[in-house]
Amino acid sequence: MADDMSAQSARSLYVRQGDYIPRIAAVHDLCGYGKCSLGVAIPVLSAAGCDVCPVPTGLFSSHTAFPGWYMHDTTSILPDYLNAWKGIDVDIDAVYSGFLGAPEQVDIIQHIYETYPKALRVVDPVMADHGKVYPTYTPELCEAMSALAAKADILTPNLTEAAIILGEPIGDKWPGPDISEAEAGRLVDALLATGAKNVVLKGIQREGESVIRNYVGGVECNLTEVHNEYLPYMLHGTGDLYCSALMAAIMCEHTLADAAAFAGDLVHDAMIVSAKQPHFQERGVSFELLLGKVCGLLEQLA
C-alpha cells in the first residue's frame, strides 16, 4: 500500500498508443535454474502486453545461491547481436537492465541508449545487498554500474547499491535497513543529484516493525512511501520480480508511486505462494500463479 499518493505527480512515464505493443530490450542474464533475471522479466512484462527482446549478459546454470554454478560471459557476442537488430530495423521503446557480467557491458548499454534515444531507461543496479557486493562484481564493474545509474529514467537500488553509487561506505551495519524517512529522503535526493530522473529506494525495515518500506522520488514526484507486510524469510529473485512488476505497471500507464505499490503487493503475494512450494528457499520466488494480476494492468487500460 502507498501513503500520500496525492503528493506525487499524476503524470505517467509511458503512454501507450492504441493497440500498439511496446518493445522492451531486457538486458539481463539468463539463468537455467532458479527464479531470476530474464526468467522473471520475460513472463511478467509479456503479461503486461509488452514485446520483450532479451539481450543476455550472461548464461548461468543456476543462480549463484546454489553451489557449483557455471557462468558464460556473453560480452563478446553482444555488439554483433545488437548490430543485427539494426539490420532488421528493430525499434525499442524501453531499455531495462539488471545484472551485468563485465564493465564492457555498460558501454554496450550506453550504445543502446544512443541507438534508441527516445527509449525509457530503467536501471536495476543489481550488484550488492545487506552490505556485501555480489561475488562476480569487481570494483571496476561497480563503478561502471554507478555511471549507468546516473543516466536512468527510473533507478531502483536497495540501500547497499545506493551507497555504492554515492560512494558512501558499506558494511554489516550500514546502510540500514533501519533508517529514518529523513535519511531515506537524503539518499533519494543524492541519487537524483547524480542524474537519475526518478528513484525507488528499496528495503527499509525499522527495528520492531512488521513492514518493509520503499521510497519513491523524482523530478516530478514528491517523496512517497510505499510499504508492505514484512515476511520473515528471504527469497532469491524478489528484486528482479519487483523491478519487472514495477516496469509492467509503468508500461501500462501507471504513475511511479502506483507502480511501486503494485510491485510491492505482487512480490508480497508471490512470497506467500512461494512458501507453499518444495525447496522454495533454494529455488526462489514463485510468481507464475499471480501473472493474472499483471494481465489485469491491461484491463485497467481499456
Side-chain angles (χ1 to χ4, degrees):
M1 59 182 293
D3 292 337
D4 194 21
M5 284 297 188
S6 62
Q8 55 89 35
S9 168
R11 188 176 74 88
S12 173
L13 297 176
Y14 183 81
V15 178
R16 292 179 82 123
Q17 303 295 327
D19 292 332
Y20 175 74
I21 297 174
R23 296 189 183 98
I24 300 173
V27 192
H28 295 258
D29 63 285
L30 178 62
C31 184
Y33 187 78
K35 309 294 188 70
C36 61
S37 306
L38 285 173
V40 174
I42 292 172
V44 170
L45 289 167
S46 296
C50 298
D51 179 3
V52 186
C53 306
V55 182
T57 58
L59 305 178
F60 281 79
S61 58
S62 68
H63 64 61
T64 57
F66 286 105
W69 49 268
Y70 167 79
M71 175 190 176
H72 175 73
D73 187 340
T74 62
T75 304
S76 63
I77 73 168
L78 292 180
D80 288 341
Y81 184 104
L82 291 166
N83 282 335
W85 282 10
K86 292 182 184 178
I88 56 174
D89 199 27
V90 173
D91 199 8
I92 294 295
D93 300 288
V95 182
Y96 168 30
S97 62
F99 179 89
L100 302 180
E104 294 79 10
Q105 292 182 352
V106 172
D107 296 333
I108 290 168
I109 295 172
Q110 303 277 25
H111 182 66
I112 297 174
Y113 289 169
E114 293 170 3
T115 304
Y116 307 104
K118 295 181 180 180
L120 184 71
R121 304 173 182 180
V122 180
V123 177
D124 188 12
V126 184
M127 55 183 168
D129 203 0
H130 302 293
K132 295 181 180 179
V133 178
Y134 294 147
T136 59
Y137 267 72
T138 63
E140 293 77 16
L141 183 50
C142 288
E143 183 178 354
M145 181 70 89
S146 298
L148 185 68
K151 296 189 175 183
D153 291 314
I154 303 173
L155 178 65
T156 63
N158 60 38
L159 287 165
T160 306
E161 291 157 352
I164 294 171
I165 292 167
L166 295 172
E168 299 187 6
I170 64 171
D172 293 337
K173 296 190 176 182
W174 201 95
D178 187 354
I179 64 171
S180 67
E181 180 172 325
E183 176 64 5
R186 181 191 74 81
L187 291 170
V188 169
D189 287 343
L191 291 165
L192 293 171
T194 69
K197 292 185 176 64
N198 299 279
V199 173
V200 181
L201 182 66
K202 305 178 297 186
I204 291 86
Q205 187 197 0
R206 297 182 186 135
E207 186 175 356
E209 294 187 346
S210 59
V211 298
I212 189 162
R213 306 172 190 273
N214 301 324
Y215 283 90
V216 179
V219 291
E220 295 186 18
C221 176
N222 296 332
L223 188 70
T224 304
E225 179 192 300
V226 181
H227 62 260
N228 291 89
E229 175 192 17
Y230 172 73
L231 298 172
Y233 48 92
M234 300 293 295
L235 290 178
H236 197 87
T238 52
D240 293 327
L241 179 59
Y242 182 92
C243 195
S244 297
L246 180 139
M247 191 171 187
I250 290 291
M251 301 307 287
C252 289
E253 300 188 1
H254 282 240
T255 63
L256 185 58
D258 282 339
F262 174 81
D265 290 345
L266 189 73
V267 171
H268 170 271
D269 294 348
M271 289 183 70
I272 292 175
V273 169
S274 300
K276 300 175 183 179
Q277 312 307 315
H279 309 294
F280 73 96
Q281 289 183 299
E282 292 82 16
R283 172 70 165 146
V285 64
S286 295
F287 57 87
E288 293 84 351
L289 300 181
L290 300 171
L291 285 174
K293 293 189 175 184
V294 184
C295 293
L297 295 169
L298 286 171
E299 297 173 2
Q300 296 170 23
L301 280 172

